[in-house]
């Protein structure tokens, strides 16, 4: 019985980490299995060459495209998952995103639950992850059951100028909601603040634990409860069932070169959308020949990741901003004056520096030899553009007989994204801010398009119909009694906002269901 738990959670990122935090006070015996270790705290955390050029913290992992060509996914395996390096832009889906939305490239399907079902959990997730923001500025935001607990992160002067210029053009820029442990006054971090407002926010790990990531906010506090255990370097290879196929009986793990087995009344998979699908597919058995919980044949399908791009606008004036990721704009989220379909969201990126550009831009040096890359970086204002891709059944994760991960992708719904880029160019030209808009490729591991797996989702979708979904509305597998999935896999569509707040909110929602099921609802915090 030593290896038997009430709950096993596989993966400690946005989904698994948040669920662990929510279940920890129940007193139930909980085991977290994480294939990575703790991300080392060291000076390289804030070194752009180490992070962006040498990809020091990226998993040494090879996946394959549909033609068998290898690629290196932009993925991190650590306690805290990909939130260790995320930009912590924590936004709610818009209310309409939960319904069916018509796009130029097709239909974004409706979710089985509504915005109102998620609202209380969005609020809890915003409070838990210290989201700094301001309601009532972005006209596309839905009603919220409570205000943010923390004021928005202040703009530095160049970004405030951009904000004012956009307003002058009649747009509605708003402070980007950020999960950050920042207390500031007059644009400076207070002595008591964990975050020091440095330039290494987006895509870097935080050396001083100032970012609200899943390790700092959820896993560490969960482990303060004696009923919660964590095994690192514990890679789950497969799940085994009883003879009926209805109950997961064994979680098979490789750890430090040996094979170990654990069991639990409830098994929760939260490995990230690609690895969760791969784990379920690898766990095929006689009762589940197409993969565990896959009678619907949806597992691995409907992979989404956003149509997104990073841009540098080269301004005539230098941009000395340190903490740049403070502004966003949703005025083209659902359409534009000249286009009836959704375009997407514009937000700021972390600030580029010369090292990053040297890593990704040898071509630029040839094209614009008169510009030193350091000069370009000093004059750049950096943007992230994000549009919705659509859940196509053939965009999918599969595994080869020897267990390799294959990701098959065809682009969907690109026209809106092209138009969003054109809108940004128009706006910047109108305010006289730039004479060049350069495409960035290194950020998020997007050096080859298929490697941009940062926003992966949708491969184990939830729904009410077991024929078209793998999970029910509580994220329990339709086909099994004790198997749940609580990472980005459950998404039915991806909207055009960053995914993590929805993953965290859902983990809290499923956590409430699990506490009821475990008979511990009264104990919850
Ligand atoms: C550079 C970057 C910037 C980003 N910026 C933002 C942002 O600003 N806002 C936002 O909302 N999102 C952002 N994201 C995306 C965000 O990080 C992810 O959406 C989120 O972390 C996904 O949560 P998850 O629980 O699905 O998976 P993850 O957080 O990836 O967690 C999965 C965990 O499972 C573990 N695991 C995988 N397989 C196994 C196995 N077989 N056995 C045991 N453990 C396993 C992994 O090591 C990992 O810890 C960013 C991502 C990146 C890479
Ligand atoms: S800006 Fe704050 S949270 Fe981000 S890396 Fe710097 S100190 Fe950490």
């Amino acid at each position: 019985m030593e290896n038997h738990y009430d709950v096993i959670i596989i993966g400690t990122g946005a989904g698994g980490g948040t669920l662990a935090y929510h279940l920890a006070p129940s007193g139930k015996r909980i085991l977290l299995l994480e294939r990575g270790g703790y991300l080392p705290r060291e000076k390289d955390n804030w070194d752009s060459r180490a992070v962006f050029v040498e990809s020091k913290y990226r998993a040494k992992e090879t996946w394959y495209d549909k033609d068998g060509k290898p690629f290196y996914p932009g993925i991190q395996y650590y306690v805290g998952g990909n939130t260790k390096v995320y930009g912590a832009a924590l936004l709610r889906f818009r209310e309409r995103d939960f319904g069916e939305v018509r796009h130029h490239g097709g239909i974004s399907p409706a979710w089985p639950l509504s915005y109102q079902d998620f609202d209380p959990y969005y609020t809890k997730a915003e409070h838990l992850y210290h989201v700094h923001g301001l309601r009532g500025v972005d006209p596309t935001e839905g009603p919220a059951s409570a205000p943010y607990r923390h004021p928005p992160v202040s703009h530095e002067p160049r970004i405030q100028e951009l904000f004012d210029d956009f307003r002058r053009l009649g747009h509605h820029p708003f402070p980007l909601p950020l999960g950050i442990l920042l207390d500031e006054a007059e644009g400076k971090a207070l002595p008591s603040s964990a975050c020091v407002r440095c330039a290494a926010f987006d895509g870097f790990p935080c050396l001083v634990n100032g970012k609200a990531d899943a390790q700092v906010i959820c896993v560490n506090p969960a482990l303060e409860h004696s009923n919660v255990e964590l095994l690192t370097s514990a890679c789950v290879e497969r799940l085994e069932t009883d003879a009926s196929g209805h109950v997961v009986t064994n979680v098979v793990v490789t750890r430090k070169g040996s094979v170990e087995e654990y069991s639990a009344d409830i098994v929760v998979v939260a490995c990230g959308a690609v690895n969760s699908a791969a784990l379920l597919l690898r766990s095929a058995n006689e009762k589940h020949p197409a993969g565990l919980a896959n009678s619907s044949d949806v597992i691995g399908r409907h992979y989404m990741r956003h149509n997104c791009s990073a841009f540098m606008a080269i301004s005539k004036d230098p941009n000395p901003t340190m903490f740049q990721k403070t502004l966003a704009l949703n005025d083209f989220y659902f359409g534009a004056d000249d286009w009836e379909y959704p375009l997407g969201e514009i937000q700021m990126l972390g600030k580029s520096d010369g090292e990053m550009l040297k890593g990704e831009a040898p071509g630029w040096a040839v094209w614009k030899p008169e510009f030193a890359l350091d000069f370009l970086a000093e004059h750049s204002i950096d943007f992230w553009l994000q549009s919705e891709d659509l859940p196509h059944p053939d965009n999918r994760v599969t595994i080869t007989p020897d267990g390799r991960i294959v990701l098959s992708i065809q682009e969907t719904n690109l026209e809106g994204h092209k138009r969003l880029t054109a809108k940004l160019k128009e706006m910047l030209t109108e305010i006289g801010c730039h004479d060049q808009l350069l495409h960035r490729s290194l950020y998020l591991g997007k050096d080859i398009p298929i490697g941009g797996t940062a926003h992966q989702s949708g491969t184990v979708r939830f729904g009410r119909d077991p024929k078209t979904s793998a999970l029910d509305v509580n994220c329990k597998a339709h086909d099994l009694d004790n198997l749940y999935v609580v990472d980005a896999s459950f998404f039915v569509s991806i909207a055009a906002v960053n995914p993590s707040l929805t993953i965290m909110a859902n983990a809290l929602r499923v956590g409430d269901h699990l506490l009821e099921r475990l008979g511990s609802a009264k104990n919850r915090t």
Side-chain angles (χ1 to χ4, degrees):
M1 293 306 283
E2 200 184 301
N3 281 2
H4 186 84
Y5 292 80
D6 293 309
V7 182
I8 288 179
I9 301 174
I10 307 166
T12 58
T18 307
L19 179 67
Y21 175 89
H22 198 49
L23 299 187
S26 67
K28 295 291 173 185
R29 203 161 167 239
I30 299 168
L31 176 65
L32 309 182
L33 294 169
E34 169 54 56
R35 74 188 292 166
Y38 284 93
L39 192 144
R41 294 180 72 187
E42 55 191 10
K43 272 169 80 179
D44 273 355
N45 289 176
W46 282 352
D47 185 286
S48 20
R49 168 153 286 277
V51 173
F52 284 96
V53 183
E54 292 159 9
S55 301
K56 180 167 185 179
Y57 301 107
R58 209 201 270 198
K60 310 285 176 273
E61 175 111 342
T62 308
W63 294 348
Y64 297 83
D65 73 7
K66 60 178 184 305
D67 302 316
K69 209 168 134 215
F71 70 93
Y72 309 104
I75 194 160
Q76 299 25 248
Y77 293 149
Y78 294 107
V79 178
N82 280 286
T83 68
K84 288 307 293 175
V85 300
Y86 77 162
L90 294 179
L91 295 108
R92 297 172 175 221
F93 275 28
R94 311 295 92 177
E95 200 169 354
R96 277 171 59 189
D97 286 326
F98 286 87
E100 187 175 285
V101 181
R102 279 181 62 234
H103 286 255
H104 177 254
I107 297 289
S108 166
W111 285 40
L113 297 174
S114 68
Y115 176 87
Q116 283 65 30
D117 294 317
F118 271 77
D119 170 43
Y121 296 103
Y122 273 141
T123 299
K124 283 182 187 158
E126 285 163 348
H127 292 171
L128 175 61
Y129 278 85
H130 295 246
V131 178
H132 289 54
L134 185 64
R135 301 216 196 277
V137 191
D138 169 16
T140 68
E141 79 182 3
S145 46
Y148 290 113
R149 282 208 178 134
H150 305 277
V153 178
S154 66
H155 301 305
E156 289 181 40
R158 186 70 188 89
I159 306 305
Q160 183 65 48
E161 201 183 325
L162 193 66
F163 187 92
D164 296 340
D165 284 341
F166 284 165
R167 289 282 288 266
R168 201 167 33 76
L169 292 182
H171 292 298
H172 305 87
F174 63 97
L176 182 62
L178 289 171
I180 190 164
L181 301 171
L182 173 69
D183 292 317
E184 60 171 346
E186 294 166 10
K188 298 264 184 295
L190 292 170
S192 56
S193 173
C195 167
V196 298
R197 262 199 91 114
C198 73
F201 189 56
D202 206 357
F204 294 84
C206 179
L207 177 55
V208 295
N209 284 342
K211 173 154 56 186
D213 65 43
Q215 180 218 327
V216 170
I217 297 297
C218 288
V219 179
N220 291 356
L223 290 173
E224 285 170 17
H225 294 262
S226 57
N227 53 307
V228 181
E229 286 170 54
L230 166 68
L231 291 182
T232 55
S233 307
C235 185
V236 177
E237 301 295 343
R238 64 180 192 281
L239 306 176
E240 294 176 344
T241 67
D242 65 358
S244 76
H246 292 310
V247 179
V248 176
T249 48
N250 270 336
V251 177
V252 182
V253 174
T254 49
R255 193 164 74 98
K256 298 178 187 159
S258 52
V259 177
E260 299 172 1
E261 293 193 9
Y262 299 90
S263 62
D265 294 349
I266 288 169
V267 174
V268 183
V269 175
C271 302
V274 171
N275 276 302
S276 286
L279 173 59
L280 297 175
L281 294 173
R282 276 203 305 273
S283 304
N285 62 23
E286 215 173 89
K287 293 285 177 192
H288 299 268
L292 196 57
N294 197 20
S295 62
S296 60
D297 190 32
V298 300
I299 289 184
R301 297 184 185 273
H302 309 110
Y303 171 79
M304 296 167 284
R305 50 147 189 190
H306 280 137
N307 291 325
C308 43
S309 17
F311 286 99
M312 285 194 328
I314 308 302
S315 175
K316 294 179 195 85
D317 304 316
N319 174 16
T321 306
M322 292 277 280
F323 191 99
Q324 185 173 250
K325 203 175 169 69
T326 54
L327 177 156
L329 187 121
N330 274 340
D331 290 357
F332 309 112
Y333 197 94
F334 288 115
D337 44 0
D338 55 356
W339 182 248
E340 62 180 298
Y341 301 107
L343 286 76
E345 180 175 274
I346 298 172
Q347 57 181 247
M348 306 308 296
L349 259 184
K351 184 75 191 74
S352 300
D353 64 26
E355 278 305 318
M356 291 179 196
L357 301 192
K358 280 171 211 158
E360 71 178 302
W364 297 356
V366 174
W367 173 56
K368 281 265 174 204
E370 70 276 26
F371 283 163
L373 293 175
D374 286 330
F375 175 89
L376 279 185
E378 276 159 26
H379 285 69
S380 75
I381 304 180
D382 308 80
F383 293 93
W384 177 246
L385 271 60
Q386 189 164 263
S387 311
E388 185 162 353
D389 58 337
L390 300 172
H392 193 292
D394 295 334
N395 284 352
R396 64 186 296 202
V397 179
T398 49
I399 49 165
T400 61
D402 59 354
R404 285 179 293 166
I405 291 179
V406 177
L407 194 52
S408 306
I409 288 186
Q410 50 187 297
E411 309 273 14
T412 62
N413 200 31
L414 287 173
E415 184 60 26
H417 193 66
K418 278 190 211 147
R419 287 175 179 257
L420 186 65
T421 310
K423 286 287 177 205
L424 176 64
K425 280 185 186 167
E426 262 172 46
M427 288 162 65
L428 294 174
T429 307
E430 271 186 76
I431 61 176
C433 158
H434 82 116
D435 60 3
Q436 300 286 346
L437 193 60
L438 302 182
H439 197 267
R440 298 274 319 277
S441 62
L442 206 63
Y443 182 76
L444 296 185
K446 255 177 125 349
D447 39 342
I448 40 170
I450 196 170
T453 55
H455 289 185
Q456 56 181 275
S457 65
T459 52
V460 194
R461 53 163 45 171
F462 81 150
R464 294 187 191 277
D465 183 353
K467 291 199 184 66
T468 56
S469 57
L471 307 174
D472 68 14
V473 291
N474 293 319
C475 290
K476 184 185 82 62
H478 288 297
D479 300 344
L480 286 103
D481 298 335
N482 69 339
L483 176 67
Y484 290 78
V485 181
V486 297
D487 54 23
S489 313
F490 84 102
F491 279 29
V492 177
S493 65
I494 194 172
V497 293
N498 315 54
S500 296
L501 190 74
T502 302
I503 302 168
M504 294 156 177
N506 186 60
L508 296 173
R509 186 183 70 83
V510 174
D512 272 358
H513 160 79
L514 289 176
L515 288 172
E516 294 284 344
R517 179 170 168 168
L518 291 161
S520 305
K522 285 197 205 82
N523 293 341
R524 74 176 178 245
T525 49

